[in-house]
Amino acid sequence: MKLIRKGEPQEESPGLLLPDGREVDVSSFGEDYDEVFFETDGMERLKEWVKENGDNLPPFPEGERYGSPVARPSKIVCIGLNYDDHARESGMEIPPEPVLFFKATSSFCGPNDDLILPRGGDKTDWEVELAFVVGKRASYVEEKDALDHIAGFSLHNDYSERGFQLDRSGQWVKGKSCDRFAPFGPWLVTQDEIEDHNNLKMWLKVNGETMQSSNSSNLHYKIPFLLSYVSQFMTLLPGDIISTGTPPGVGMGMDPQVYLKAGDVVELGIDQLGSSTQKVVPAV
Protein backbone atom coordinates (compact mmCIF):
# COMPACT_ATOMS: atom_id res chain seq x y z
CA MET A 1 0.00 0.00 0.00
CA LYS A 2 0.89 3.64 -0.41
CA LEU A 3 -0.44 5.66 2.52
CA ILE A 4 -1.11 9.37 2.08
CA ARG A 5 -2.66 12.16 4.14
CA LYS A 6 -4.19 15.23 2.51
CA GLY A 7 -5.77 18.46 3.67
CA GLU A 8 -4.86 21.66 5.46
CA PRO A 9 -2.21 21.55 8.22
CA GLN A 10 -3.50 19.84 11.38
CA GLU A 11 -6.65 18.84 9.47
CA GLU A 12 -5.29 16.12 7.17
CA SER A 13 -7.42 13.11 6.30
CA PRO A 14 -5.89 9.64 5.83
CA GLY A 15 -5.95 8.18 2.37
CA LEU A 16 -4.41 5.78 -0.09
CA LEU A 17 -2.78 6.02 -3.48
CA LEU A 18 -4.32 3.07 -5.32
CA PRO A 19 -2.53 1.01 -7.99
CA ASP A 20 -4.67 2.65 -10.69
CA GLY A 21 -3.41 6.11 -9.63
CA ARG A 22 -6.51 7.26 -7.78
CA GLU A 23 -6.04 9.04 -4.46
CA VAL A 24 -8.91 8.13 -2.15
CA ASP A 25 -9.99 9.32 1.27
CA VAL A 26 -10.24 6.56 3.90
CA SER A 27 -11.50 8.75 6.74
CA SER A 28 -14.47 6.40 7.08
CA PHE A 29 -12.02 3.75 8.33
CA GLY A 30 -12.08 5.87 11.48
CA GLU A 31 -8.36 6.15 12.26
CA ASP A 32 -5.44 8.39 11.41
CA TYR A 33 -1.98 7.01 10.64
CA ASP A 34 -0.57 7.50 14.12
CA GLU A 35 1.07 5.48 16.87
CA VAL A 36 -2.14 3.70 17.86
CA PHE A 37 -2.89 2.77 14.24
CA PHE A 38 0.48 1.11 13.71
CA GLU A 39 0.57 -0.49 17.17
CA THR A 40 -2.80 -2.18 16.68
CA ASP A 41 -1.95 -3.84 13.36
CA GLY A 42 -3.64 -1.03 11.48
CA MET A 43 -1.92 -1.76 8.19
CA GLU A 44 -3.44 -5.24 7.94
CA ARG A 45 -6.81 -4.08 9.23
CA LEU A 46 -6.86 -1.27 6.66
CA LYS A 47 -5.92 -3.65 3.86
CA GLU A 48 -8.84 -5.92 4.69
CA TRP A 49 -11.21 -2.98 5.08
CA VAL A 50 -10.25 -1.63 1.66
CA LYS A 51 -11.04 -4.99 0.07
CA GLU A 52 -14.62 -4.60 1.27
CA ASN A 53 -15.04 -0.86 0.82
CA GLY A 54 -12.62 0.13 -1.93
CA ASP A 55 -15.26 0.69 -4.61
CA ASN A 56 -17.04 3.29 -2.49
CA LEU A 57 -14.13 5.44 -1.32
CA PRO A 58 -14.35 9.13 -2.30
CA PRO A 59 -11.47 10.74 -4.21
CA PHE A 60 -9.58 13.66 -2.72
CA PRO A 61 -10.27 17.00 -4.41
CA GLU A 62 -7.81 17.65 -7.23
CA GLY A 63 -4.80 19.65 -6.10
CA GLU A 64 -5.41 19.22 -2.39
CA ARG A 65 -2.33 19.66 -0.21
CA TYR A 66 -0.26 16.64 0.81
CA GLY A 67 0.42 16.35 4.50
CA SER A 68 3.04 14.00 5.88
CA PRO A 69 1.91 10.40 5.25
CA VAL A 70 2.06 9.66 8.98
CA ALA A 71 0.77 11.81 11.82
CA ARG A 72 3.39 13.52 13.96
CA PRO A 73 5.69 10.79 15.33
CA SER A 74 7.02 10.61 18.87
CA LYS A 75 10.60 10.73 17.54
CA ILE A 76 12.53 11.62 14.40
CA VAL A 77 15.89 9.87 14.74
CA CYS A 78 18.53 10.72 12.15
CA ILE A 79 21.79 9.07 11.16
CA GLY A 80 24.75 11.31 10.39
CA LEU A 81 27.68 10.64 8.06
CA ASN A 82 26.28 7.40 6.68
CA TYR A 83 27.66 7.72 3.14
CA ASP A 84 31.44 7.45 2.80
CA ASP A 85 31.64 10.15 0.13
CA HIS A 86 29.43 12.56 2.12
CA ALA A 87 31.68 12.09 5.14
CA ARG A 88 34.70 12.95 2.98
CA GLU A 89 33.09 16.11 1.59
CA SER A 90 32.29 17.12 5.18
CA GLY A 91 35.93 16.68 6.16
CA MET A 92 35.05 13.81 8.51
CA GLU A 93 35.53 10.05 8.73
CA ILE A 94 32.83 7.41 8.84
CA PRO A 95 32.43 6.87 12.59
CA PRO A 96 33.00 3.43 14.16
CA GLU A 97 29.35 3.50 15.26
CA PRO A 98 26.42 5.40 13.71
CA VAL A 99 26.05 9.07 14.64
CA LEU A 100 22.57 9.60 16.12
CA PHE A 101 20.77 12.91 16.44
CA PHE A 102 17.17 14.06 16.68
CA LYS A 103 14.99 16.50 14.81
CA ALA A 104 12.25 18.13 16.87
CA THR A 105 8.81 16.86 15.86
CA SER A 106 7.74 20.50 15.41
CA SER A 107 9.96 20.55 12.29
CA PHE A 108 7.77 17.85 10.69
CA CYS A 109 5.64 19.03 7.75
CA GLY A 110 4.11 18.11 4.42
CA PRO A 111 6.36 17.22 1.49
CA ASN A 112 5.57 20.31 -0.57
CA ASP A 113 5.22 22.90 2.18
CA ASP A 114 7.40 25.99 1.85
CA LEU A 115 10.78 25.94 3.54
CA ILE A 116 10.99 28.88 5.96
CA LEU A 117 14.51 30.21 6.45
CA PRO A 118 15.15 30.49 10.19
CA ARG A 119 15.83 33.82 11.86
CA GLY A 120 19.55 34.40 12.31
CA GLY A 121 20.51 31.64 9.91
CA ASP A 122 22.44 32.13 6.68
CA LYS A 123 23.68 28.59 5.94
CA THR A 124 20.53 26.55 5.32
CA ASP A 125 21.40 23.35 3.47
CA TRP A 126 19.56 20.46 1.82
CA GLU A 127 19.84 16.67 2.39
CA VAL A 128 17.81 14.09 0.46
CA GLU A 129 17.35 10.99 2.60
CA LEU A 130 15.69 7.58 2.61
CA ALA A 131 13.63 7.23 5.78
CA PHE A 132 11.68 4.37 7.28
CA VAL A 133 8.76 4.28 9.66
CA VAL A 134 8.66 1.94 12.64
CA GLY A 135 5.67 -0.40 12.45
CA LYS A 136 5.73 -1.93 15.90
CA ARG A 137 7.40 -1.29 19.23
CA ALA A 138 11.12 -2.03 18.99
CA SER A 139 13.42 -2.55 21.96
CA TYR A 140 16.67 -4.55 21.84
CA VAL A 141 15.75 -5.93 18.42
CA GLU A 142 18.19 -8.32 16.78
CA GLU A 143 19.33 -7.36 13.30
CA LYS A 144 17.84 -10.52 11.78
CA ASP A 145 14.39 -9.45 13.03
CA ALA A 146 14.65 -5.75 12.21
CA LEU A 147 12.63 -5.70 8.99
CA ASP A 148 9.66 -7.17 10.87
CA HIS A 149 9.50 -3.87 12.77
CA ILE A 150 9.33 -1.59 9.73
CA ALA A 151 5.99 -0.34 8.37
CA GLY A 152 7.43 1.18 5.21
CA PHE A 153 9.69 3.73 3.55
CA SER A 154 9.40 7.40 2.65
CA LEU A 155 11.24 10.42 1.26
CA HIS A 156 12.70 12.97 3.68
CA ASN A 157 14.61 16.23 3.23
CA ASP A 158 16.75 16.66 6.34
CA TYR A 159 17.22 20.43 6.13
CA SER A 160 20.11 21.79 8.19
CA GLU A 161 21.10 25.27 9.28
CA ARG A 162 24.86 24.75 9.30
CA GLY A 163 25.49 27.94 11.24
CA PHE A 164 23.43 26.62 14.14
CA GLN A 165 24.65 23.03 13.72
CA LEU A 166 28.40 23.48 13.38
CA ASP A 167 29.48 27.07 13.97
CA ARG A 168 27.96 27.29 17.44
CA SER A 169 28.74 25.03 20.36
CA GLY A 170 26.53 22.16 21.46
CA GLN A 171 24.75 19.33 19.72
CA TRP A 172 23.50 19.18 16.13
CA VAL A 173 19.82 19.18 17.08
CA LYS A 174 19.43 22.96 17.08
CA GLY A 175 20.62 23.14 13.47
CA LYS A 176 18.19 20.42 12.45
CA SER A 177 14.95 21.35 14.19
CA CYS A 178 13.78 24.68 12.77
CA ASP A 179 10.16 24.89 11.62
CA ARG A 180 9.58 23.15 8.26
CA PHE A 181 13.00 21.43 8.40
CA ALA A 182 11.54 17.92 7.99
CA PRO A 183 9.31 17.74 4.90
CA PHE A 184 8.21 14.12 4.68
CA GLY A 185 6.47 12.13 1.96
CA PRO A 186 4.40 12.25 -0.22
CA TRP A 187 3.82 8.54 0.44
CA LEU A 188 4.55 5.89 3.03
CA VAL A 189 5.25 2.84 0.88
CA THR A 190 4.95 -0.58 2.49
CA GLN A 191 7.78 -3.06 2.17
CA ASP A 192 5.91 -5.36 -0.20
CA GLU A 193 5.82 -2.56 -2.80
CA ILE A 194 9.59 -2.00 -2.75
CA GLU A 195 11.65 -4.29 -4.97
CA ASP A 196 14.89 -3.72 -3.05
CA HIS A 197 15.33 -1.01 -0.44
CA ASN A 198 19.09 -1.43 -0.87
CA ASN A 199 18.91 -0.25 -4.49
CA LEU A 200 16.86 2.94 -4.68
CA LYS A 201 18.06 5.87 -6.77
CA MET A 202 17.79 9.26 -5.10
CA TRP A 203 18.31 12.80 -6.33
CA LEU A 204 17.96 16.44 -5.36
CA LYS A 205 17.92 19.61 -7.47
CA VAL A 206 18.12 23.29 -6.56
CA ASN A 207 16.63 25.65 -9.14
CA GLY A 208 16.72 22.81 -11.67
CA GLU A 209 20.41 21.97 -11.15
CA THR A 210 21.20 18.47 -9.88
CA MET A 211 23.08 18.66 -6.59
CA GLN A 212 22.72 15.12 -5.25
CA SER A 213 22.50 11.87 -7.19
CA SER A 214 23.12 8.56 -5.48
CA ASN A 215 21.64 5.22 -4.49
CA SER A 216 20.69 3.60 -1.20
CA SER A 217 23.16 0.82 -2.06
CA ASN A 218 25.84 3.29 -0.93
CA LEU A 219 24.60 3.40 2.67
CA HIS A 220 27.47 2.50 5.00
CA TYR A 221 25.27 1.23 7.83
CA LYS A 222 22.32 -0.65 6.33
CA ILE A 223 18.69 -0.37 7.41
CA PRO A 224 18.31 -3.60 9.45
CA PHE A 225 21.46 -2.74 11.38
CA LEU A 226 20.27 0.81 12.00
CA LEU A 227 16.94 -0.23 13.49
CA SER A 228 18.64 -2.83 15.66
CA TYR A 229 21.34 -0.37 16.73
CA VAL A 230 18.98 2.46 17.68
CA SER A 231 16.73 0.04 19.58
CA GLN A 232 19.63 -0.78 21.92
CA PHE A 233 19.48 2.76 23.31
CA MET A 234 15.79 3.68 23.24
CA THR A 235 12.42 2.07 22.65
CA LEU A 236 11.17 2.93 19.19
CA LEU A 237 7.43 3.45 19.12
CA PRO A 238 5.10 2.68 16.21
CA GLY A 239 5.13 5.63 13.82
CA ASP A 240 8.63 6.77 14.79
CA ILE A 241 10.91 7.76 11.93
CA ILE A 242 14.54 6.86 11.31
CA SER A 243 16.20 8.85 8.53
CA THR A 244 19.24 7.01 7.19
CA GLY A 245 21.60 9.81 6.13
CA THR A 246 22.37 11.84 3.03
CA PRO A 247 24.70 11.21 0.07
CA PRO A 248 27.26 13.76 -1.19
CA GLY A 249 26.28 16.98 -2.90
CA VAL A 250 25.21 19.17 0.00
CA GLY A 251 25.90 22.88 -0.15
CA MET A 252 28.36 22.74 2.73
CA GLY A 253 30.60 20.40 0.72
CA MET A 254 30.94 22.69 -2.30
CA ASP A 255 33.84 25.05 -3.01
CA PRO A 256 32.74 27.74 -2.53
CA GLN A 257 29.93 26.66 -0.26
CA VAL A 258 26.37 27.24 -1.51
CA TYR A 259 23.37 27.77 0.74
CA LEU A 260 19.68 28.38 0.14
CA LYS A 261 18.14 31.81 -0.25
CA ALA A 262 14.59 33.08 -0.52
CA GLY A 263 13.08 32.28 -3.92
CA ASP A 264 15.06 29.08 -4.46
CA VAL A 265 13.17 25.89 -5.36
CA VAL A 266 14.31 22.51 -4.05
CA GLU A 267 13.10 19.31 -5.76
CA LEU A 268 13.96 15.80 -4.63
CA GLY A 269 12.89 12.22 -5.08
CA ILE A 270 13.62 8.55 -4.51
CA ASP A 271 12.64 5.79 -6.92
CA GLN A 272 9.35 4.12 -5.92
CA LEU A 273 8.83 6.67 -3.11
CA GLY A 274 7.76 9.71 -5.13
CA SER A 275 9.08 13.26 -5.19
CA SER A 276 8.56 16.55 -3.40
CA THR A 277 9.18 20.26 -3.95
CA GLN A 278 9.82 23.04 -1.47
CA LYS A 279 9.96 26.74 -2.26
CA VAL A 280 12.29 28.71 0.00
CA VAL A 281 10.68 31.71 1.71
CA PRO A 282 12.17 34.37 4.01
CA ALA A 283 12.32 34.15 7.76
CA VAL A 284 9.20 35.36 9.55
Side-chain angles (χ1 to χ4, degrees):
M1 293 190 295
K2 291 185 174 71
L3 279 61
I4 60 175
R5 294 169 71 248
K6 304 195 81 172
E8 293 303 307
Q10 313 304 320
E11 298 178 0
E12 295 93 344
S13 297
L16 290 172
L17 172 60
L18 299 179
D20 61 8
R22 289 184 297 135
E23 295 182 336
V24 294
D25 188 329
V26 299
S27 296
S28 53
F29 180 65
E31 301 176 38
D32 201 356
Y33 302 147
D34 56 14
E35 180 180 338
V36 173
F37 169 81
F38 291 109
E39 191 166 35
T40 57
D41 205 23
M43 303 278 273
E44 286 302 316
R45 291 187 292 105
L46 177 61
K47 185 182 297 184
E48 293 302 314
W49 183 85
V50 169
K51 288 180 182 178
E52 298 178 4
N53 298 275
D55 292 338
N56 300 314
L57 296 176
F60 282 109
E62 186 174 351
E64 187 162 23
R65 169 188 173 272
Y66 279 106
S68 60
V70 297
R72 183 181 293 178
S74 82
K75 294 185 285 296
I76 304 172
V77 185
C78 298
I79 311 299
L81 304 174
N82 199 22
Y83 287 77
D84 294 297
D85 35 14
H86 172 57
R88 286 194 296 271
E89 75 172 353
S90 302
M92 305 178 191
E93 299 291 331
I94 289 287
E97 296 187 30
V99 172
L100 303 185
F101 62 90
F102 289 96
K103 295 178 82 79
T105 57
S106 54
S107 68
F108 201 52
C109 64
N112 302 314
D113 291 348
D114 290 345
L115 170 67
I116 302 172
L117 295 174
R119 294 183 189 179
D122 59 3
K123 296 182 178 179
T124 300
D125 206 347
W126 55 83
E127 297 188 20
V128 60
E129 301 200 6
L130 170 63
F132 61 88
V133 175
V134 176
K136 61 182 179 181
R137 188 177 294 256
S139 179
Y140 300 108
V141 174
E142 293 187 31
E143 188 172 347
K144 64 180 179 62
D145 300 322
L147 292 178
D148 295 337
H149 291 74
I150 294 177
F153 301 92
S154 196
L155 170 67
H156 174 221
N157 195 343
D158 173 23
Y159 279 115
S160 308
E161 171 46 55
R162 303 299 188 190
F164 299 168
Q165 177 193 3
L166 301 173
D167 297 345
R168 299 170 65 171
S169 63
Q171 298 183 345
W172 289 3
V173 62
K174 63 180 178 285
K176 297 285 189 170
S177 295
C178 306
D179 291 350
R180 305 281 185 89
F181 264 34
F184 196 77
W187 315 321
L188 171 62
V189 183
T190 54
Q191 290 195 62
D192 59 311
E193 297 234 2
I194 303 295
E195 296 174 10
D196 181 1
H197 67 260
N198 289 312
N199 186 25
L200 297 175
K201 294 179 182 178
M202 60 183 67
W203 55 271
L204 183 143
K205 298 178 181 180
V206 178
N207 299 328
E209 179 181 355
T210 297
M211 300 297 189
Q212 294 184 278
S213 179
S214 190
N215 191 293
S216 62
S217 62
N218 296 321
L219 282 169
H220 185 87
Y221 294 110
K222 305 299 186 183
I223 286 171
F225 175 81
L226 291 175
L227 184 139
S228 174
Y229 180 83
V230 175
S231 78
Q232 308 306 307
F233 305 102
M234 67 194 78
T235 295
L236 294 166
L237 300 179
D240 282 355
I241 290 165
I242 297 181
S243 197
T244 61
T246 198
V250 299
M252 178 182 66
M254 297 181 179
D255 186 15
Q257 293 178 337
V258 177
Y259 295 113
L260 294 169
K261 60 186 184 302
D264 287 343
V265 176
V266 181
E267 304 167 271
L268 60 150
I270 298 179
D271 280 3
Q272 303 176 55
L273 301 181
S275 61
S276 65
T277 301
Q278 296 99 43
K279 182 179 178 181
V280 183
V281 300
V284 294

